Amino acid sequence: MGNEFIELFEEWAKTYDDTVTGHDEEYKDVFLFYDKLLQEVADRANGNVLEFGPGTGNLTAKLINRGLSVTGVEPSSSMREIAIKKLQGKADIIDGDFMHFKLDHQVETIVSSYAFHHLTDKEKAEAIEHYGKLLTTGGKIVFADTMYETVEAYNKAIADAQEKGYSNLAEDLQREYYTTIPVLSEMMQKNGFSVTFNRCNDFVWIMDGVKG
């Protein structure tokens, strides 16, 4: 479940916070309004929260600031180390991924930011089915991630990155498993979720699903 990207996560750990705060021109538009969109995810969460891919702990910190109890599941040891230090023990950051994790309590909200695209569509569907069983009625999935309205929009994003000379971004867009809103919407509805999508920038949308 995305573990083929572990080496990449380890490499990103060194520069991730600089990149998300706009210090890398190539990824500036990807992380446009980063702080605001993380806050929006945090504001939509309630109760006990399970966070997948907390990375360096930026969303986790906002959840904690709202007084929420958070368990973060992070496969990268370098990312976990940074997050644990940043959060000063205020959240439980454990080893695992979107499908392989140990949790001894129920949660009301499952959140993630900039991470769900590391799963294939087949893996995404399996994960959502699993979360549907984990959450109680009224429980929520709130994911902020790069996704596209159509396949054509996805292909245009790759072409635009190539035209701008953003070779790393273009490579990322082709290497990772970006999907479309209709595909995600069908997955969510199939598992009993009512779902909405709100655009945050040219790349990222927030998917908010409530279990019926």
Side-chain angles (χ1 to χ4, degrees):
M1 287 287 175
N3 287 328
E4 64 268 35
F5 298 108
I6 285 293
E7 289 186 12
L8 186 61
F9 300 158
E10 293 294 312
E11 182 180 337
W12 280 349
K14 306 169 189 174
T15 59
Y16 189 76
D17 281 345
D18 281 341
T19 299
V20 301
T21 50
H23 291 85
D24 186 334
E25 184 66 29
E26 190 164 353
Y27 290 89
K28 197 167 186 177
D29 287 344
V30 178
F31 293 103
L32 189 65
F33 309 127
Y34 177 74
D35 191 70
K36 180 180 178 181
L37 71 87
L38 291 193
Q39 188 61 57
E40 185 167 347
V41 172
D43 288 344
R44 293 171 185 238
N46 56 75
N48 287 324
V49 180
L50 177 61
E51 179 184 5
F52 289 107
T56 58
N58 297 323
L59 173 56
T60 324
K62 292 184 180 300
L63 293 163
I64 292 168
N65 286 342
R66 287 202 55 232
L68 300 173
S69 176
V70 186
T71 299
V73 180
E74 173 57 55
S76 165
S77 59
S78 295
M79 291 280 198
R80 284 199 307 275
E81 184 178 346
I82 294 171
I84 289 168
K85 183 177 181 180
K86 182 184 293 185
L87 301 169
Q88 299 180 331
K90 295 178 182 178
D92 189 14
I93 308 297
I94 62 175
D95 186 13
D97 60 42
F98 278 97
M99 281 295 286
H100 305 101
F101 56 94
K102 293 182 179 180
L103 192 69
D104 60 4
H105 61 273
Q106 279 194 312
V107 295
E108 283 73 43
T109 313
I110 298 174
V111 301
S112 184
S113 61
Y114 291 90
F116 204 45
H117 61 268
H118 294 112
L119 276 62
T120 65
D121 279 0
K122 182 176 183 293
E123 291 171 337
K124 289 183 183 77
E126 292 173 359
I128 289 170
E129 181 179 6
H130 182 61
Y131 305 155
K133 298 172 182 175
L134 178 65
L135 291 165
T136 57
T137 300
K140 300 183 71 176
I141 294 176
V142 186
F143 286 176
D145 199 20
T146 297
M147 59 186 76
Y148 297 91
E149 294 178 280
T150 63
V151 173
E152 290 75 19
Y154 168 55
N155 290 331
K156 184 178 185 301
I158 296 171
D160 288 347
Q162 292 170 333
E163 184 177 345
K164 292 176 182 177
Y166 293 167
S167 57
N168 290 326
L169 176 57
E171 182 181 345
D172 287 343
L173 289 173
Q174 295 173 85
R175 172 178 51 197
E176 297 166 27
Y177 307 122
Y178 298 100
T179 194
T180 64
I181 288 172
V183 169
L184 285 170
S185 182
E186 183 179 357
M187 291 177 188
M188 294 291 283
Q189 291 175 19
K190 181 179 178 182
N191 287 282
F193 289 87
S194 58
V195 63
T196 60
F197 294 86
N198 298 103
R199 192 166 202 161
C200 298
N201 60 39
D202 287 345
F203 291 84
V204 178
W205 295 69
I206 291 179
M207 178 181 78
D208 188 329
V210 180
K211 183 180 176 181

